[in-house]
Amino acid sequence: MAKIKFHLQSTNNPANIYARLSIGRTKVLRRKSGYIINPKDWSKDTSFPKPNDVELKSLKTELRDLATNIEKQLNQATGKGIDITGDWLQQQIDIFQSKVKTTDNDRLTN
């Protein structure tokens, strides 16, 4: 069973929030989630921002939505036999944040 958690690797302000996708015991992938936070606003117990204000609550919701989206895409990819790599994880994060245009490769013209 795959598990998605978020963590910080730095105590500097601002710190990048990393997404950690573990697939079984053998495969663990980490990539930047594209979000930043002040480390004093991060809860190590819950692996989410502390809900101290509206901005942090919104960030927590965004991270939960990202985790849900990654999980859904992971289920589809494993069903199709796609190899799950760090690049795949980064692509899913970028698509979620609308950083990458999705293209229709099955068509000759758009």
Side-chain angles (χ1 to χ4, degrees):
M1 166 129 181
K3 192 172 211 174
I4 302 159
K5 293 194 109 189
F6 298 98
H7 65 92
L8 305 181
Q9 287 187 334
S10 172
T11 56
N12 297 335
N13 185 19
N16 285 309
I17 300 173
Y18 284 79
R20 178 179 178 266
L21 173 63
S22 59
I23 306 168
R25 292 182 180 209
T26 58
K27 199 171 201 177
V28 178
L29 308 170
R30 289 181 185 87
R31 290 292 184 264
K32 288 182 182 178
S33 67
Y35 298 103
I36 57 173
I37 191 170
N38 186 338
K40 71 178 182 82
D41 293 327
W42 186 258
S43 171
K44 289 182 181 179
D45 295 332
T46 63
S47 297
F48 282 107
K50 296 175 184 174
N52 296 337
D53 62 22
V54 175
E55 247 181 64
L56 293 173
K57 288 179 184 178
S58 175
L59 177 58
K60 184 176 181 179
T61 302
E62 283 286 318
L63 291 172
R64 283 189 175 164
D65 290 346
L66 175 60
T68 302
N69 185 59
I70 291 171
E71 197 170 304
K72 184 170 39 168
Q73 295 303 322
L74 178 66
N75 289 336
Q76 290 178 1
T78 53
K80 294 178 182 176
I82 296 173
D83 188 33
I84 307 303
T85 62
D87 291 336
W88 178 90
L89 178 59
Q90 188 63 54
Q91 182 182 16
Q92 299 311 312
I93 292 169
D94 291 345
I95 289 171
F96 178 79
Q97 294 178 343
S98 302
K99 290 183 181 177
V100 174
K101 269 189 169 179
T102 55
T103 58
D104 189 0
N105 293 331
D106 294 334
R107 300 182 128 190
L108 292 174
T109 59
N110 287 335

